[in-house]
Amino acid sequence: MNDTVIRAMVPDDAAGIAATHHQSWVDTYGEYLPTGYFDEWTVEAAVARWERMLAGPPAPGVDRVVATTDGAVVGFATSGPARPIEDRPAPVRPFELWALYVARDELGSGLGQRLLDAVLPADRPTELWVFADNARARAFYARNGFRDDGTAYRDRRFPDLRVARMVRGAAPIG
């Protein structure tokens, strides 16, 4: 059996993270996204974005980890301070799970839990945004103490998809 290692991201991980990120979106959201979406958001575009993000150290309060098996990226997670983003309701928790993705072959293996635990202590008041139709992800987050707070929006890039907020912890902002 191969051992999966979870460690801090480094610049050399960009291509593997991008491939995992892109394939996860194709697998999970491909049928929901507008025709041609992946003509613009290619693996190459994802690699360039991850190279930029990993070019320097993470900002204070940002956690970013990668899971590798035999040197190949099989998942990753990032978290940090909650971010106000255009067109999205204002944050209500001080921290945010920014991303958590695992390769299709790793779904149900427990890797997602290990990644979540690596970037987000259970007692940290946190919010996250998830496509409302992603039942698998929503159930995973619910098992980890997140609840839907009833807030949602529609991202201008995917107007047919509702994005829902889930929160954990009782420390609202402001």
Side-chain angles (χ1 to χ4, degrees), residues 23 31 37 39 47 52 56 59 68 82 95 133 142 148 159:
Q23 190 60 52
E31 66 184 280
Y37 181 79
D39 294 341
V47 169
R52 283 190 307 276
T68 62
F95 296 97
D133 290 340
D148 189 325

Side-chain angles (χ1 to χ4, degrees), residues 3-15:
D3 289 326
T4 298
V5 174
I6 295 177
R7 59 171 174 73
M9 291 178 181
V10 297
D12 286 347
D13 295 322

Side-chain angles (χ1 to χ4, degrees), residues 94-95 120-126 144 168-171:
F95 296 97
L120 203 57
D123 62 348
R124 182 175 288 167
T126 304
N144 280 279
R168 175 170 85 178

Side-chain angles (χ1 to χ4, degrees), residues 143-174:
R143 286 192 305 275
N144 280 279
F146 287 89
R147 64 174 176 74
D148 189 325
D149 79 347
T151 303
Y153 77 104
R154 294 192 187 273
D155 188 302
R156 69 180 182 281
R157 297 170 299 165
F158 340 102
D160 295 334
L161 293 175
R162 189 172 152 268
V163 185
R165 181 169 54 205
M166 296 181 77
V167 297
R168 175 170 85 178
I173 293 176

